[in-house]
Amino acid sequence: MANWHLLTVEILTAALGLGLLALGLLVPHSDRRGIAYVATAGLAGILAVAIGMREASGVVLGGYVIDPFGTYFKILFLVAAMLTAVCSYDYVEKMGLNQAEYYALLILATLGMMILASSGELVSLYTGLELMTITFCILAAYHLGDAKSAEAGIKYLLLGAMSSAIFLYGLSLVYGSSGTTVIREIGQQVATRGASPALLLGTIFILAGFAFKVTAVPFHMWSPDVYEGAPTPVTGFLSVASKAAAFAALVRVFFGALPDLHNFWVQLFIALAVLTIVLGNLVAIPQTNIKRLLAYSSIAQAGYLLLGIVSFSVLGVGAVAYYAMLYVFGNMGAFMAATAFYNNDGSDEIKDYAGLARRSPLVAALMLFSLLSLAGIPPMAGFVGKFYLFMSIISRQYIWLAILGILMSMVSVYYYLLVAKAMYLGNPPEGSKPLQVAPGLQVAMVVSLLILFILGIYPTPLTNYAMNSAVTFFMP
Amino acid sequence: MITLNHYLAVGGLLFCIGLFGALAKRNAIAVLMGIELMLNAVNINLVAFNHFLAPDQVTGQIFAIFVIVVAAAEVAVGLALVLNIYRRRLDSNIDDLDWLKW
């Protein structure tokens, strides 16, 4: 008797996504806006169910693991999907296309991430990864009237498919050297048989596949282009949720199946983390487009998250989980502000943000505090997250890595404040009007701003949950 | 006698040819074909491992079927996107996709 009730969240998400597709065909064109509200309300309902199941644990069908770690990430994806949906109302309506498909794809991408974060088995891991990637290709190219959007879609598809082919080759080698695809059994096989050349090669290939998804340097080349071309809400979702999903799966594979090769792969992760932090922060400085700036900043953020993996400890994994959650609010906040600005002025250039504070104090404040949180300035949430990440590597004696991270955080303050300077010290262009922001988006903005402060001032409940969820990987 | 190593050699060779095609070809459809070769190399690996190492289970073959299905979905989306771009620019050369800085 399989324990299907553990799959409630996934089943509800799949039903919601498919239901919206059907609903889109039934609802007349004039009432299409309602679909967006149904999607948001549905996601909120599923979020409530997921929060109710946060302590549930068990294995479904021998290969699908429900544990607090997976559920933590599912809550994260649902929050990000809700913010994206709210953010998309006006944006999608402006594109003038079938809205039901957009929201259905958004929800199916969320489903892919959930499967990715929860699968304890390589076949379902791969399926979840591809469900996420292929839906994101369509979403990135969703703006049919915009050539840049089409180009972003095809770039993501070609490079994504290439990286998943490499990833898959790695999976086949790991399967070949252990004889099983269940992550826990692979771990046992590796412990008894030891490392073989095929296994090490497979590890490197899998690492490359994950590095592509989390945009670690040197596998980051696609991200600035795709981020710039894709519709802004999709970019926000892609930068937070798909990255978090890849990190969750990365932790599952490397900590669950390959802990015995830890001394081998940790070297690779250190190299990736150093390159990612340094290059992401330095290349962000000369950017003039807000989406490209955020793309490079999110590359740098992936570097900080990699530090948690390097530490290979409960503290490190908990810090990754915690940082991923507040990264949702920080980055989605910045993208919500960028979307609101684009809806009014149709521009993504930082120089056009001049005097934004006088045209819309809320949008400017949201952008400012989100960026400060990403930079890790107290009392914003980002400070606590970075504190835990640096703590975790210092406890492993990587002092130099922590110093590098802190130095590069200071560099990041510079380019974040360039945006703030334009918004607060610049003069608005002649004849510019105050920004019109839809009420729903305003509510989402205020909520995400409040959460950034609350998580910064009183982080204990969430950090406790994150740390407890991380314990699963270090039990005998 | 054909052993596991022969199959793995074919798989590795096919993978390298596919990777070369995906990196060297300038036409988006040719790149997709290169990626297909890489995926088929993976399938050869999976089925060979299954046959030689764990013949009593069919995990590897099931995995290969999943790969085939997902690859088909990927190509369907890929061709749709190529068509979309082609209709706009009458071209499917990826060197011309330079509206965004590569």
Side-chain angles (χ1 to χ4, degrees):
Chain A
M1 180 63 200
N3 32 3
W4 296 108
H5 64 276
L6 288 172
L7 292 178
T8 316
V9 175
E10 283 83 352
I11 293 171
L12 285 176
T13 314
L16 180 65
L18 298 176
L20 281 177
L21 269 184
L23 202 63
L25 298 174
L26 300 175
V27 175
H29 243 294
S30 51
D31 297 332
R32 286 284 158 83
R33 179 107 189 193
I35 289 171
Y37 300 137
V38 173
T40 318
L43 284 170
I46 299 170
L47 179 63
V49 174
I51 291 175
M53 283 179 62
R54 66 188 179 280
E55 299 296 340
S57 66
V59 178
V60 186
L61 299 174
Y64 196 80
V65 184
I66 304 288
D67 56 6
F69 180 77
T71 314
Y72 179 95
F73 275 92
K74 281 174 213 165
I75 293 171
L76 185 156
F77 306 144
L78 287 165
V79 170
M82 261 178 77
L83 289 175
T84 312
V86 173
C87 193
S88 310
Y89 292 166
D90 284 336
Y91 201 99
V92 180
E93 204 157 77
K94 259 182 139 178
M95 287 195 253
L97 291 159
N98 197 338
Q99 297 188 30
E101 283 157 17
Y102 177 87
Y103 292 101
L105 286 170
L106 196 70
I107 288 161
L108 291 177
T110 314
L111 178 67
M113 294 169 196
M114 288 176 174
I115 295 171
L116 194 51
S118 251
S119 60
E121 198 267 324
L122 299 180
V123 182
S124 52
L125 184 104
Y126 171 67
T127 320
L129 184 81
E130 288 297 306
L131 178 56
M132 179 182 93
T133 311
I134 295 177
T135 36
F136 264 123
C137 294
I138 309 174
L139 281 173
Y142 203 80
H143 200 166
L144 274 183
D146 182 10
K148 277 186 169 184
S149 177
E151 193 174 311
I154 191 85
K155 279 180 179 172
Y156 189 48
L157 184 109
L158 291 179
L159 295 175
M162 212 185 296
S163 89
S164 53
I166 291 171
F167 178 73
L168 208 50
Y169 199 75
L171 291 187
S172 79
L173 290 176
V174 170
Y175 165 68
S177 43
S178 61
T180 171
T181 56
V182 181
I183 288 177
R184 181 169 274 276
E185 290 171 14
I186 295 174
Q188 291 158 358
Q189 291 291 337
V190 173
T192 51
R193 292 191 201 179
S196 63
L199 187 63
L200 294 184
L201 193 63
T203 309
I204 294 172
F205 279 22
I206 291 176
L207 181 80
F210 278 128
F212 176 88
K213 289 284 179 268
V214 305
T215 64
V217 179
F219 304 96
H220 68 291
M221 297 306 290
W222 59 278
S223 82
D225 281 356
V226 174
Y227 283 20
E228 187 187 344
T232 313
V234 173
T235 309
F237 195 46
L238 184 64
S239 70
V240 296
S242 84
K243 203 171 278 193
F247 265 106
L250 188 155
V251 169
R252 261 194 213 287
V253 171
F254 280 87
F255 289 46
L258 308 163
D260 291 288
L261 302 181
H262 157 243
N263 287 331
F264 168 68
W265 52 254
V266 97
Q267 310 295 331
L268 301 173
F269 275 112
I270 290 176
L272 279 183
V274 169
L275 282 174
T276 310
I277 293 175
V278 172
L279 201 118
N281 278 314
L282 291 183
V283 182
I285 295 173
Q287 300 304 323
T288 56
N289 179 300
I290 188 82
K291 282 158 89 177
R292 279 189 100 81
L293 177 94
L294 287 171
Y296 281 105
S297 115
S298 89
I299 291 172
Q301 304 291 334
Y304 298 127
L305 284 164
L306 284 171
L307 294 180
I309 309 285
V310 167
S311 81
F312 192 64
S313 61
V314 174
L315 184 62
V317 177
V320 167
Y322 178 73
Y323 198 79
M325 183 67 94
L326 57 93
Y327 176 63
V328 168
F329 293 103
N331 225 26
M332 281 307 296
F335 276 105
M336 279 195 279
T339 312
F341 186 77
Y342 181 86
N343 282 343
N344 281 273
D345 284 26
S347 163
D348 288 323
E349 296 300 313
I350 294 171
K351 63 177 189 316
D352 295 333
Y353 279 63
L356 184 63
R358 264 172 272 170
R359 297 173 59 199
S360 172
L362 174 66
V363 173
L366 178 70
M367 183 64 103
L368 173 68
F369 286 114
S370 301
L371 293 179
L372 288 182
S373 175
L374 291 177
I377 306 278
M380 309 307 297
F383 171 72
V384 186
K386 279 194 180 156
F387 177 76
Y388 279 115
L389 283 172
F390 292 146
M391 275 289 289
S392 73
I393 46 168
I394 288 173
S395 69
R396 288 277 169 165
Q397 312 300 329
Y398 294 116
I399 313 271
W400 63 275
L401 209 50
I403 293 173
L404 180 84
I406 292 165
L407 277 178
M408 281 307 177
S409 299
M410 288 176 193
V411 171
S412 73
V413 176
Y414 171 72
Y415 59 80
Y416 288 137
L417 285 184
L418 283 182
V419 181
K421 180 171 156 248
M423 290 190 305
Y424 281 88
L425 301 179
N427 287 318
E430 290 286 321
S432 56
K433 294 187 287 290
L435 254 59
Q436 300 287 325
V437 184
L441 187 52
Q442 278 186 7
V443 172
M445 284 176 164
V446 173
V447 168
S448 112
L449 202 51
L450 282 178
I451 289 177
L452 277 180
F453 275 105
I454 294 169
L455 287 183
I457 295 165
Y458 185 56
T460 325
L462 189 63
T463 47
N464 280 348
Y465 181 31
M467 296 293 166
N468 288 338
S469 73
V471 174
T472 28
F473 296 104
F474 295 93
M475 286 192 297
Chain B
M1 178 65 191
I2 296 179
T3 63
L4 175 60
N5 287 339
H6 292 97
Y7 284 101
L8 293 188
V10 172
L13 202 64
L14 197 58
F15 187 81
C16 292
I17 295 171
L19 187 61
F20 175 76
L23 294 176
K25 288 289 177 186
R26 306 274 43 121
N27 186 302
I29 294 177
V31 174
L32 277 174
M33 286 161 67
I35 292 166
E36 285 301 299
L37 279 187
M38 290 162 80
L39 292 173
N40 284 332
V42 173
N43 288 341
I44 292 180
N45 261 8
L46 287 171
V47 175
F49 278 134
N50 193 163
H51 181 75
F52 286 97
L53 299 178
D56 46 334
Q57 288 174 327
V58 286
T59 325
Q61 298 185 27
I62 301 279
F63 202 160
I65 290 174
F66 270 80
V67 173
I68 292 169
V69 171
V70 171
E74 212 158 47
V75 168
V77 173
L79 289 180
L81 292 177
V82 172
L83 254 177
N84 181 23
I85 293 217
Y86 183 80
R87 266 198 297 221
R88 193 180 311 276
R89 308 185 194 177
L90 292 180
D91 193 358
S92 57
N93 187 336
I94 48 175
D95 282 338
D96 296 338
L97 297 181
D98 52 2
W99 296 17
L100 299 162
K101 291 171 251 171
W102 230 152

